[in-house]
Amino acid sequence: METPFDEAKPILDKLHQSGFEAYFVGGAVRDFLLGREIGDVDIATSAKPEDIKNIFSKTIDVGAEHGTIIVIHEGEQYEVTTYRAESDYEDFRRPKSVQFITSLKEDLRRRDFTINAMAMDVKGNVFDYFHGKEHMKQKLIHTVDSPSERFTEDALRMLRALRFTSQLNFTLSSETEEAIEHHVHLLDAISVERKTAEIEKLFMGENVKLAINLMIQCKVYNYLPGLVGGNMQLGRLSSFQFPYLTSKEELWTVLVYFISPPTIDGFLRKWKLSNKLIKSVHKNLSILDVVLKNPVWTDLLLYKAGPDTAVSVERIRSILINPEQIKENVARVRSSLNLLPITNKSQMAVNGHDLVHWLNKEPGPWLAKMIEEIEKAIILKEVQNKSTEIKEWLLACSRDFDQSY
Ligand code: ATP
Ligand code: MG
């Protein structure tokens, strides 16, 4: 089977043919060496952005001034970045200037952690100038050069360090941990969006408990939206089995459930989450509340929740109550969902026009109420979702309706 590196090899070959150096770098090399699933394959090269644009026919300029050009090859996008050094960091978060350089080693030196600072050539030879492999064996996150300096340059690296402990199940080197404790306040300079991205990855990782303990130990919570002074709340999360979750919606539902912020909306907005995500979390929480009190999925509740929410909420409920049964429980909810006659209003076999016509009545508030009654009767299988059946059923009980509408 072709690996993502095989697929990207022609890009390296082409750069070589034009007289430039080019290597696979960063997370893909790390994940390959760890035997983990490989994400995006990033490429570092001695070619300048202008050269990259000339060599490849399909490119997107996403930041030539920083040296990054996206090359599209066989429908896939690859970030191709010119070797660079960064200097004069401003506000603990971004380099004031970048210099294009000619040395692979110096390009790798600017990277955050030793395990992320390795390169690999097309033959699979690994270039490891900063003990990346050794730290991998020791399962250690350690910055390239002094942690204090690297965190002062870019404070986000502290959150990245924690997220990698969770994702890879690694520990922090003691020097790296001490530097985080010391420089944690610099996280104030980091934008919410960048924090959110790292925290989501952290909670979707393998060993969330380890990362939570470090967050508490290093007082990172004081610099996270809605969590100032929240060591207790964070502690409550540490026994939850996060790896069973399958989406960001589920993740934020669980975070709100355990953290119980003063207002759900205020908390989620502080993290600058999308309206769509916030809406889903609200819905998940309201249904979760119901099934935690009474763990029975009635047909009406399943219908009200809808398939996505029902499955997510059952997954969360099962993780809370009995993680061994997640699969079975979720499968049961799925099959109950499949047995529902309809999953939303638009599938009803009648509409307002039909009712006005059949009952020969002027439209009015009665209409919405009646549609709701019919909808309920369909879900409860009191009537089949067929126009003729509904009409018959309606006329048979029209006397009841007459009284109540
Ligand atoms: P992921 O699997 O989440 O993509 P990654 O290690 O590939 O992890 P990216 O954010 O894609 O992380 O960054 C790619 C590479 O760029 C990293 O492996 C690292 O070498 C370097 N890098 C990313 N962010 C920083 C940073 N803030 N400071 C220094 N180097 C960084
Ligand atoms: Mg990456």
Side-chain angles (χ1 to χ4, degrees):
M1 203 183 70
E2 282 221 319
T3 70
F5 292 120
D6 294 326
E7 285 164 21
K9 185 174 170 287
I11 299 179
L12 268 61
D13 290 341
K14 232 172 163 183
L15 286 161
H16 293 153
Q17 284 152 18
S18 308
F20 297 107
E21 293 178 14
Y23 297 90
F24 300 119
V25 285
V29 176
R30 175 198 69 219
D31 291 338
F32 172 71
L33 294 174
L34 288 170
R36 296 171 65 88
E37 197 183 321
I38 297 164
D40 297 335
V41 171
D42 296 329
I43 294 164
T45 179
S46 59
K48 303 280 186 307
E50 285 312 309
D51 302 320
I52 302 169
K53 284 197 251 182
N54 287 334
I55 293 169
F56 297 97
S57 54
K58 286 190 202 156
T59 59
I60 309 172
D61 187 339
V62 282
E65 70 281 14
H66 295 110
T68 302
I69 300 290
I70 285 180
V71 172
I72 301 171
H73 173 72
E74 311 233 314
E76 292 289 328
Q77 298 197 352
Y78 297 92
E79 270 193 19
V80 181
T81 305
T82 307
Y83 294 161
R84 67 182 201 220
E86 297 170 348
S87 58
D88 299 338
Y89 285 81
E90 255 182 333
D91 313 334
F92 317 111
R93 59 191 156 122
R94 57 175 166 236
K96 205 166 170 183
S97 57
V98 305
Q99 293 94 41
F100 297 142
I101 54 174
T102 53
S103 151
L104 170 69
K105 183 175 176 183
E106 292 312 303
D107 178 82
L108 295 174
R109 190 189 292 283
R110 72 163 170 94
R111 293 170 185 271
D112 47 8
F113 305 107
T114 58
I115 57 164
N116 287 346
M118 288 183 272
M120 193 169 85
D121 67 15
V122 283
K123 293 193 183 119
N125 299 308
V126 174
F127 297 78
D128 173 20
Y129 301 105
F130 307 102
H131 310 289
K133 276 187 181 166
E134 189 186 318
H135 292 155
M136 236 173 216
K137 263 198 211 122
Q138 298 170 337
K139 293 178 155 252
L140 267 189
I141 307 290
H142 185 79
T143 51
V144 176
D145 297 334
S146 144
S148 274
E149 274 175 36
R150 305 313 307 281
F151 295 150
T152 310
E153 286 170 359
D154 179 358
L156 183 77
R157 291 172 186 154
M158 294 187 275
L159 284 188
R160 285 176 60 88
L162 297 180
R163 140 334 225 188
F164 286 120
T165 64
S166 171
Q167 281 186 321
L168 306 175
N169 193 13
F170 278 24
T171 51
L172 298 178
S173 73
S174 51
E175 214 188 325
T176 302
E177 186 173 332
E178 278 161 28
I180 297 181
E181 280 188 52
H182 193 252
H183 294 288
V184 67
H185 61 280
L186 299 180
L187 282 173
D188 265 343
I190 300 301
S191 73
V192 169
E193 289 86 347
R194 294 177 85 198
K195 287 180 181 172
T196 302
E198 292 302 327
I199 290 297
E200 284 178 341
K201 287 185 181 173
L202 184 157
F203 279 105
M204 304 287 239
E206 228 170 76
N207 195 343
V208 179
K209 191 174 184 152
L210 176 67
I212 288 179
N213 289 341
L214 287 167
M215 279 201 269
I216 293 174
Q217 162 89 17
C218 301
K219 300 195 167 61
V220 170
Y221 51 84
N222 279 335
Y223 305 90
L224 295 178
L227 277 172
V228 179
N231 51 332
M232 298 277 280
Q233 282 107 311
L234 212 50
R236 278 187 228 144
L237 288 162
S238 69
S239 57
F240 187 81
Q241 309 224 24
F242 284 93
Y244 289 118
L245 297 179
T246 61
S247 68
K248 282 185 189 173
E249 286 78 1
E250 291 174 7
L251 170 63
W252 286 102
T253 304
V254 169
L255 293 181
V256 170
Y257 175 78
F258 280 99
I259 289 168
S260 58
T263 74
I264 296 170
D265 216 59
F267 177 77
L268 295 171
R269 296 215 176 272
K270 277 187 187 157
W271 287 89
K272 301 212 173 157
L273 301 171
S274 71
N275 287 336
K276 188 165 169 264
L277 189 108
I278 292 177
K279 210 172 144 195
S280 301
V281 173
H282 274 292
K283 190 168 175 195
N284 283 349
L285 285 164
S286 73
I287 305 284
L288 181 64
D289 192 45
V290 177
V291 290
L292 282 177
K293 284 185 186 131
N294 180 16
V296 180
W297 285 98
T298 62
D299 284 350
L300 281 176
L301 187 64
L302 283 171
Y303 179 78
K304 185 178 165 206
D308 293 347
T309 302
V311 166
S312 285
V313 168
E314 180 56 25
R315 182 174 294 117
I316 295 170
R317 191 193 71 84
S318 301
I319 303 172
L320 288 168
I321 308 294
N322 186 358
E324 266 129 54
Q325 305 235 316
I326 301 171
K327 260 199 183 153
E328 270 171 82
N329 291 350
V330 169
R332 203 176 315 119
V333 165
R334 278 193 213 279
S335 54
S336 305
L337 280 161
N338 285 336
L339 293 175
L340 287 181
I342 55 172
T343 49
N344 66 62
K345 239 193 186 81
S346 69
Q347 295 168 341
M348 286 173 69
V350 296
N351 58 29
H353 289 295
D354 299 325
L355 301 184
V356 168
H357 178 65
W358 293 344
L359 300 171
N360 198 19
K361 267 174 95 166
E362 285 295 305
W366 64 272
L367 199 53
K369 276 192 205 162
M370 189 174 278
I371 289 183
E372 212 172 283
E373 290 292 336
I374 300 169
E375 190 181 17
K376 203 166 140 188
I378 294 171
I379 298 154
L380 295 176
K381 303 193 179 91
E382 287 168 11
V383 60
Q384 270 198 58
N385 186 31
K386 284 187 184 150
S387 174
T388 47
E389 307 267 337
I390 295 170
K391 188 174 179 185
E392 216 170 278
W393 174 83
L394 203 56
L395 295 175
C397 48
S398 68
R399 240 175 299 131
D400 301 344
F401 281 119
D402 279 345
Q403 277 157 19
S404 52
Y405 293 106

